[in-house]
Amino acid sequence: MNATMVTEFAKRDWETAADGTVRFALIGLGWWTVDIVIPAIEQADYCETAVLVSSSTEKAQRLADRHDVDRGITYDEYHDGAASDAYDAVYIGTPNAYHLEYVETAAELDKAVLCEKPLEATAERAEQLVDAAADGDIPLMTAYRMHTEPAVRRAKELIEDGFIGEPTQVYGNNTQPLLEMIPDPDQWRLDSDVTGYGTSVMDLGIYPINTARFLLERDPVQAEARMSSTHEAFDDVPDQFATITLTLEDDVPLVCTTSQHAQEDTELKIIGTDGLIELSPAFHGEATLHLSSGSVEATIEDTDFTEVEEMREEFDYFADRVLGDEPILPDGRHGLDDLRTIEAIHEAAERDEPVDI
Amino acid sequence: MNATMVTEFAKRDWETAADGTVRFALIGLGWWTVDIVIPAIEQADYCETAVLVSSSTEKAQRLADRHDVDRGITYDEYHDGAASDAYDAVYIGTPNAYHLEYVETAAELDKAVLCEKPLEATAERAEQLVDAAADGDIPLMTAYRMHTEPAVRRAKELIEDGFIGEPTQVYGNNTQPLLEMIPDPDQWRLDSDVTGYGTSVMDLGIYPINTARFLLERDPVQAEARMSSTHEAFDDVPDQFATITLTLEDDVPLVCTTSQHAQEDTELKIIGTDGLIELSPAFHGEATLHLSSGSVEATIEDTDFTEVEEMREEFDYFADRVLGDEPILPDGRHGLDDLRTIEAIHEAAERDEPVDI
């Protein structure tokens, strides 16, 4: 472990010689879009924000004015094709159950789509979404920002180079105090009609599940899980807490704990026969990579790399793919796979027995 | 989190006004007894090594001479009561399946017992061991050195004071490359006649399982597990790797991963509604306590606290209890409970279904 490992850390090894700019319509103006996505696009090399889309003209236009964006339109206007000459791609940052309708319209309008994860509220709807994009022949990426996070990409490179030997066990944790972050018991993440199967696996568990898949290039084949909700705000969702054991291909176990009502903590640890790679913190900016092999240990910290930079990398990756007409790794089918896994997790918890994926 | 928290860190809050010295016979002179226990007793306030007990007079006497101990005797001589005036207590550091016979003799000789964990090779034999000590009315402690580890005791105090709120999820990992540490495929930890149910849960999993019980004062009520052995040296034991989900009382999940054929790593993380306590590393000296509550974080590191100091604390605790005729916390029944849990874990893995404990 030497200086080269650190200096190579932030390399955009995916970047092609693509040239140009992708102009975005941002759909759904919650705090993530406003506070993270808009600044990320401002920092990006190949992106610009052209249109904001929200529930009312007033809100869309007010935020457009504030952030120096040309147009603010309503969801209905978007569906009617308003301002469609002004943008090339849409970013969908709405609650889960509304993703499908925006993708269907994007397919009609021939726009590329960067869609937030989970891809939809259920695997069935996610499949319709993927089919709509395929029918319209539009590029579709699921917004897994861990795929372009330099610490994660560095970890993947190390694993491919044999640093940990054969992976033996994986642990992921993603917990947060949702009601302290958003003190509203009626928020959409606690409404099963909008969030889908539940809250902590859909919103948090998806990070360790997808990042482990990405790092190890192994998909889950079986799920076991237990979950419970005790706080009254979680009456409508089964998984205030969840504890999951997935079996990845080659019989590698991935254990995950998730909660929307606990101290914030994120960790992903991959143990192997010859070494260990740990991201701690892992999933909300400032990912720090801890490495050990035999008696050698190292920590690679990049505290300047926040969620804004993660999203900048993700948007530039997406734009690079679209401009160069290159294949997208976390595509729609990749996002659909995770919803099938999450469906199996919920089924396993309900039936209290292992469920094949 | 302030200076007081750190300065109170190493306090022996268990210490009574006991006076005197407990003279030990050390039974089983493997590397742990020789390299860790003998130096620990040399540092201890209330202990001294009086007799060494091994397979041959030659080995026992050679090590006695080297470590300035009065007597070296054989196992047979111990059973015959040789030198029994020279010691007050025995420390049993032999392979698991031999503990019972030494406790039976100690009970006949009216000697207090500090017995290594796991208490025996099976729950059935451990029960016989506990009964033998009870029949002989001798003090019996199971050698859980985490109970006297200052970082662990500090963590316990914080949990009792409400630092983490209600515990929601617990994760423990204990992995090591056994064949690199002891390059002998015929070693006793891989021989089911001597180790008992298996190797990685008996030898490594017992740490997170027992430490979580101790910290949370909650016992396991159900076990689910999967385990596998792939390397030929592990042909006789089922758990080269194990992944365990225990349900502790009040429905708190404890997920554990263990392996005897992986990169060394130890961690114990207890997540709660209001805070988090993590020991990382956790179990092999130099325990480091990571604390967070809301947005406040702290790390309490004590790199001078090695396995020798852990054992010193354990021996002085045991001696303090014996000298003051005080109750022992990790007593025989406490150690037996863990063997019942380990038995359930192995049964759950074999049957591939949850097993009540």
Side-chain angles (χ1 to χ4, degrees):
Chain A
M1 275 169 266
N2 53 40
T4 313
M5 286 179 60
V6 180
T7 52
E8 286 185 353
F9 184 48
K11 203 172 78 178
R12 286 183 166 191
D13 55 4
W14 44 262
E15 201 163 35
T16 62
D19 197 21
T21 299
V22 173
R23 301 164 304 159
F24 280 88
L26 308 184
I27 303 176
L29 304 180
W31 70 270
W32 182 263
T33 302
V34 173
D35 296 342
I36 307 290
V37 172
I38 291 177
I41 291 176
E42 276 168 16
Q43 290 185 17
D45 291 336
Y46 311 120
C47 306
E48 75 177 49
T49 303
V51 178
L52 297 182
V53 187
S54 191
S55 49
S56 71
T57 307
E58 187 280 326
K59 180 177 179 185
Q61 199 56 57
R62 176 168 47 83
L63 285 165
D65 291 346
R66 186 183 305 164
H67 295 280
D68 200 22
V69 174
D70 280 347
R71 290 283 301 269
I73 65 174
T74 67
Y75 296 133
D76 287 341
E77 289 169 333
Y78 163 75
H79 286 303
D80 291 340
S84 63
D85 290 344
Y87 61 91
D88 313 300
V90 300
Y91 165 77
I92 302 174
T94 65
N96 304 337
Y98 306 134
H99 294 178
L100 172 58
E101 61 191 86
Y102 298 111
V103 172
E104 286 171 337
T105 297
E108 284 165 26
L109 297 172
D110 197 28
K111 305 297 181 189
V113 174
L114 175 57
C115 184
E116 264 307 333
K117 68 197 169 308
L119 200 54
E120 244 287 347
T122 65
E124 192 186 346
R125 289 179 62 86
E127 190 165 5
Q128 291 171 36
L129 186 158
V130 170
D131 288 346
D135 291 347
D137 198 22
I138 55 167
L140 168 61
M141 173 169 161
T142 312
Y144 289 114
R145 58 194 159 86
M146 290 300 112
H147 288 228
T148 41
E149 216 286 337
V152 173
R153 293 187 78 83
R154 187 72 191 102
K156 187 165 164 59
E157 224 170 64
L158 286 163
I159 290 167
E160 283 164 4
D161 290 349
F163 180 81
I164 65 166
E166 286 304 309
T168 61
Q169 281 140 332
V170 188
Y171 163 69
N173 181 62
N174 199 353
T175 51
Q176 66 181 17
L178 181 65
L179 294 171
E180 283 173 33
M181 297 160 65
I182 305 172
D184 174 9
D186 297 322
Q187 59 186 291
W188 71 262
R189 283 193 174 81
L190 301 176
D191 176 354
S192 62
D193 289 339
V194 186
T195 182
Y197 300 113
T199 188
S200 78
V201 185
M202 287 288 274
D203 192 35
L204 303 173
I206 197 168
Y207 282 84
I209 292 167
N210 182 267
T211 309
R213 275 182 76 196
F214 174 64
L215 285 173
L216 295 173
E217 294 186 356
R218 283 171 173 83
D219 284 329
V221 296
Q222 195 188 64
E224 293 181 70
R226 54 178 63 196
M227 43 184 70
S228 63
S229 292
T230 54
H231 189 291
E232 60 182 7
F234 292 82
D235 275 355
D236 192 36
V237 284
D239 58 337
Q240 177 184 332
F241 310 109
T243 302
I244 303 158
T245 303
L246 295 179
T247 306
L248 304 182
E249 288 166 301
D250 304 324
D251 210 26
V252 177
L254 162 59
V255 295
C256 286
T257 46
T258 65
S259 176
Q260 291 279 27
H261 191 61
Q263 175 68 14
E264 181 182 326
D265 181 72
T266 70
E267 177 177 348
L268 182 68
K269 171 147 68 181
I270 301 180
I271 302 169
T273 47
D274 300 329
L276 178 148
I277 284 181
E278 186 181 320
L279 288 154
S280 172
F283 305 126
H284 301 312
E286 304 186 2
T288 299
L289 193 56
H290 306 271
L291 308 170
S292 68
S293 180
S295 58
V296 181
E297 291 185 34
T299 294
I300 301 177
E301 203 169 348
D302 187 353
T303 52
D304 293 334
F305 211 80
T306 67
E307 285 165 325
V308 170
E309 280 79 29
E310 283 177 5
M311 288 304 274
R312 176 197 67 204
E313 294 299 295
E314 181 182 292
F315 270 85
D316 268 342
Y317 171 82
F318 173 76
D320 180 87
R321 303 287 102 176
V322 169
L323 292 168
D325 198 18
E326 294 282 341
I328 294 170
L329 174 57
D331 62 6
R333 203 147 291 279
H334 184 86
L336 168 58
D337 287 344
D338 285 334
L339 276 164
R340 294 214 169 103
T341 297
I342 293 172
E343 186 178 37
I345 288 167
H346 279 269
E347 200 182 320
E350 207 173 298
R351 287 162 42 185
D352 197 17
E353 59 182 35
V355 169
D356 290 336
I357 299 168
Chain B
M1 277 169 269
N2 54 41
T4 314
M5 286 182 60
V6 180
T7 52
E8 286 184 355
F9 183 46
K11 204 173 76 179
R12 287 183 166 191
D13 55 4
W14 45 262
E15 200 162 38
T16 62
D19 199 18
T21 299
V22 174
R23 300 165 304 157
F24 280 87
L26 308 184
I27 304 176
L29 304 182
W31 70 270
W32 182 263
T33 302
V34 173
D35 296 342
I36 307 290
V37 172
I38 291 177
I41 292 176
E42 274 167 18
Q43 289 185 17
D45 292 336
Y46 310 121
C47 305
E48 75 179 46
T49 303
V51 179
L52 298 182
V53 189
S54 191
S55 49
S56 71
T57 307
E58 187 279 327
K59 181 177 179 185
Q61 198 55 55
R62 176 168 46 84
L63 286 165
D65 291 345
R66 185 182 304 164
H67 295 280
D68 199 21
V69 175
D70 280 349
R71 291 283 301 268
I73 65 174
T74 66
Y75 295 134
D76 286 343
E77 288 169 336
Y78 163 74
H79 285 304
D80 290 340
S84 63
D85 289 343
Y87 62 90
D88 312 301
V90 300
Y91 166 76
I92 302 174
T94 65
N96 304 336
Y98 307 134
H99 294 178
L100 173 57
E101 60 190 87
Y102 298 111
V103 172
E104 286 172 339
T105 296
E108 283 166 24
L109 298 173
D110 197 30
K111 306 297 180 188
V113 174
L114 176 55
C115 184
E116 265 307 334
K117 68 198 170 308
L119 200 51
E120 245 288 348
T122 65
E124 192 186 346
R125 289 178 62 87
E127 192 165 4
Q128 291 172 35
L129 185 158
V130 170
D131 288 346
D135 291 347
D137 199 24
I138 55 167
L140 169 61
M141 174 168 160
T142 312
Y144 289 113
R145 59 194 158 85
M146 291 299 113
H147 288 228
T148 41
E149 216 287 335
V152 173
R153 293 187 79 84
R154 187 73 192 103
K156 186 164 164 59
E157 224 170 64
L158 286 163
I159 291 168
E160 283 163 4
D161 290 351
F163 180 81
I164 65 167
E166 287 303 309
T168 62
Q169 281 140 333
V170 188
Y171 163 68
N173 181 62
N174 200 353
T175 51
Q176 65 182 17
L178 181 65
L179 294 172
E180 283 174 33
M181 298 161 65
I182 305 173
D184 173 9
D186 296 321
Q187 59 186 290
W188 71 262
R189 283 192 173 82
L190 301 177
D191 175 355
S192 63
D193 289 339
V194 185
T195 183
Y197 300 113
T199 188
S200 78
V201 185
M202 288 288 275
D203 191 36
L204 303 173
I206 198 168
Y207 283 84
I209 292 167
N210 182 268
T211 309
R213 275 181 77 196
F214 174 65
L215 285 173
L216 295 174
E217 293 185 358
R218 283 169 173 85
D219 285 328
V221 295
Q222 196 188 64
E224 293 182 69
R226 56 177 64 195
M227 43 183 72
S228 63
S229 293
T230 54
H231 188 292
E232 60 180 9
F234 292 82
D235 275 355
D236 192 39
V237 286
D239 59 336
Q240 177 185 334
F241 310 109
T243 302
I244 303 158
T245 303
L246 295 178
T247 307
L248 305 182
E249 289 167 301
D250 303 326
D251 210 24
V252 177
L254 161 59
V255 294
C256 286
T257 46
T258 65
S259 176
Q260 291 279 27
H261 191 60
Q263 174 68 14
E264 181 182 325
D265 182 72
T266 71
E267 177 177 348
L268 183 68
K269 170 146 69 181
I270 302 180
I271 303 169
T273 47
D274 300 330
L276 177 147
I277 284 182
E278 185 183 320
L279 288 155
S280 172
F283 305 126
H284 301 312
E286 305 185 1
T288 299
L289 193 57
H290 306 272
L291 308 170
S292 67
S293 180
S295 58
V296 180
E297 290 184 34
T299 293
I300 301 177
E301 201 169 349
D302 187 351
T303 51
D304 293 334
F305 211 79
T306 66
E307 286 165 327
V308 170
E309 281 79 29
E310 283 176 7
M311 287 304 274
R312 178 197 67 204
E313 293 298 295
E314 181 183 293
F315 270 85
D316 269 343
Y317 171 81
F318 173 76
D320 180 87
R321 302 287 103 178
V322 170
L323 292 168
D325 199 19
E326 295 281 340
I328 294 170
L329 175 56
D331 62 6
R333 203 148 290 281
H334 185 84
L336 169 58
D337 287 345
D338 285 334
L339 276 165
R340 293 214 169 101
T341 297
I342 293 171
E343 185 177 35
I345 288 167
H346 279 268
E347 199 182 320
E350 206 173 298
R351 287 163 43 186
D352 197 17
E353 60 182 35
V355 169
D356 290 337
I357 300 169

